[in-house]
Amino acid sequence: MKAARWVTLGCVLLVTAAAAAGYGWYRWSETGKGWRYEDKLASYCGGLIPYAESAVFTGLNTEVGLSRDDEYGYGEDRYRSCQVADMTVTVGLIREDAVASDTGPDIFDALDAGPSDRTPVALGGGWRGYTDMRDTAVVLPCAHRDAGREASLVVSIQGDDSHDNPEEARAMAELATGIARKAARSSSCEAGFGGRIPKVHAPGGMSAPESASGTCAGIRFPESQWIDWIKESKPSGSAPLEGCLLGESKARDEVLYGLEAAFGPYAQRLRAPSGARSGLGHSHALATASCPGSTVRAVFTISASVYAAPTKDFLRSALRAFAERSAERHGCTDLTLPG
């Protein structure tokens, strides 16, 4: 009996030692690190974060790399917001009749990063998306079968200056498209996917107004507006957000005017409950257009900064030139300009 007890005790000790060794291997080995990362991704952010594309940024660190996972909203308006390394990822379906809330946070907050000193660049690769080297987004127009209505799936990644280069921007875009694929499958979104993201080109720097050949093309620059430089992107019909910046060099290279073309959910973020309408004010002008495959009218705007001396004639003419070319690229019609 005594010998049997020693054998039993020995077996227990061997099992305990093996379990400790196994746990140590799982906890500290590179293979175990990958398994732990995969285990956390299974439920993190609704299981929407892809392994390889996120590991580029997190280094498989589950504590620092995957540090926040939240869900907001109710019913069809629920959306995910989670952290991947130092980036905030927002994922959700946006109904075509949805409007931004004036009473609390909603998914449109993630689409409204505020003024930028750079213009959006189309992602390419067959995707509807953009990057400005800090923020990156992908939009999938889809039929939400469960709700029986049209919607867009949006993946928005908000970064910072640490990602301000084409290589990082491309990696962010690959992460966004990887999330979009998973989110579409989990939300009954029937949508076509693109392929690998090609090389991303940085937005154009300052150039002379007379050299405009991209998103600023066609705008006339009267001497009275003191426009010394422009910033523009290569035109594309696949970016949900386009822009053109006009600035001066007399003081500190300040932006005088910002023009924006917004499509789909990016246009919706500008809508009031009564809908966005064409308009003309002291320092801004707005136009809309009907675009194929969507009930959401595109919104084109020009806004003057505090450094500008806007006139209604310039606001109208600059917006017209910008909006006409952008609408044509996207196949939009019924362009309604301010009077």
Side-chain angles (χ1 to χ4, degrees):
M1 292 292 293
K2 190 173 183 179
R5 284 198 298 271
W6 279 108
V7 170
T8 301
L9 178 60
C11 291
V12 170
L13 291 174
L14 284 173
V15 170
T16 302
Y23 176 77
W25 175 86
Y26 177 80
R27 188 76 178 83
W28 302 111
S29 73
E30 286 302 311
T31 302
K33 189 177 181 181
W35 284 6
R36 292 198 312 278
Y37 191 74
E38 190 171 17
D39 287 345
K40 184 160 185 178
L41 286 183
S43 58
Y44 187 76
C45 209
L48 302 178
I49 307 299
Y51 183 104
E53 292 86 348
S54 62
V56 171
F57 297 100
T58 64
L60 301 180
N61 188 319
T62 58
E63 295 178 3
V64 176
L66 306 175
S67 60
R68 183 182 62 80
D69 182 4
D70 298 311
E71 188 173 28
Y72 300 98
Y74 304 95
E76 293 178 327
D77 296 323
R78 285 197 308 270
Y79 65 98
R80 287 271 182 179
S81 178
C82 58
Q83 205 72 14
V84 175
D86 59 352
M87 302 173 297
T88 298
V89 174
T90 305
V91 191
L93 279 170
I94 300 179
R95 295 172 288 106
E96 289 194 331
D97 58 353
V99 296
S101 170
D102 57 1
T103 60
D106 59 30
I107 193 170
F108 291 110
D109 294 333
L111 310 188
D112 197 4
S116 176
D117 60 354
R118 63 199 64 209
T119 55
V121 175
L123 295 183
W127 293 94
R128 188 170 181 79
Y130 85 93
T131 182
D132 63 7
M133 307 291 134
R134 291 182 189 140
D135 300 332
T136 300
V138 170
V139 176
L140 291 180
C142 57
H144 190 198
R145 292 177 298 184
D146 292 343
R149 68 182 73 183
E150 294 299 314
S152 291
L153 174 66
V154 178
V155 178
S156 172
I157 302 179
Q158 294 178 309
D160 55 30
D161 287 344
S162 66
H163 304 291
D164 186 11
N165 64 78
E167 291 75 21
E168 287 275 309
R170 182 178 181 275
M172 288 176 69
E174 288 288 358
L175 174 60
T177 57
I179 295 171
R181 290 175 186 274
K182 282 177 167 282
R185 296 185 182 109
S186 69
S187 60
S188 301
C189 170
E190 293 183 339
F193 302 139
R196 292 295 304 274
I197 299 296
K199 180 180 179 180
V200 174
H201 296 279
M206 292 181 186
S207 58
E210 58 269 18
S211 69
S213 60
T215 49
C216 294
I219 299 175
R220 297 180 61 187
F221 307 100
E223 292 184 6
S224 61
Q225 292 302 311
W226 300 101
I227 294 169
D228 301 317
W229 53 262
I230 64 170
K231 284 185 179 180
E232 62 179 354
S233 301
K234 183 179 178 181
S236 170
S238 63
L241 203 60
E242 297 179 333
C244 163
L245 299 178
L246 315 177
E248 57 88 17
S249 301
K250 302 296 186 297
R252 297 173 298 175
D253 291 329
E254 299 288 357
V255 173
L256 298 179
Y257 297 95
L259 294 104
E260 181 184 270
F263 303 87
Y266 282 86
Q268 287 176 257
R269 86 193 199 282
L270 303 175
R271 287 196 313 203
S274 58
R277 293 190 176 92
S278 302
L280 178 66
H282 170 70
S283 60
H284 74 277
L286 180 149
T288 66
S290 176
C291 300
S294 175
T295 61
V296 178
R297 288 182 68 85
V299 177
F300 309 91
T301 58
I302 180 171
S303 299
S305 74
V306 296
Y307 305 98
T311 66
K312 289 188 176 180
D313 284 345
F314 178 69
L315 293 174
R316 285 193 196 95
S317 65
L319 181 61
R320 175 184 288 275
F322 175 77
E324 285 179 344
R325 285 165 174 76
S326 182
E328 183 178 6
R329 283 193 294 274
H330 288 258
C332 303
T333 57
D334 186 30
L335 178 62
T336 306
L337 296 156

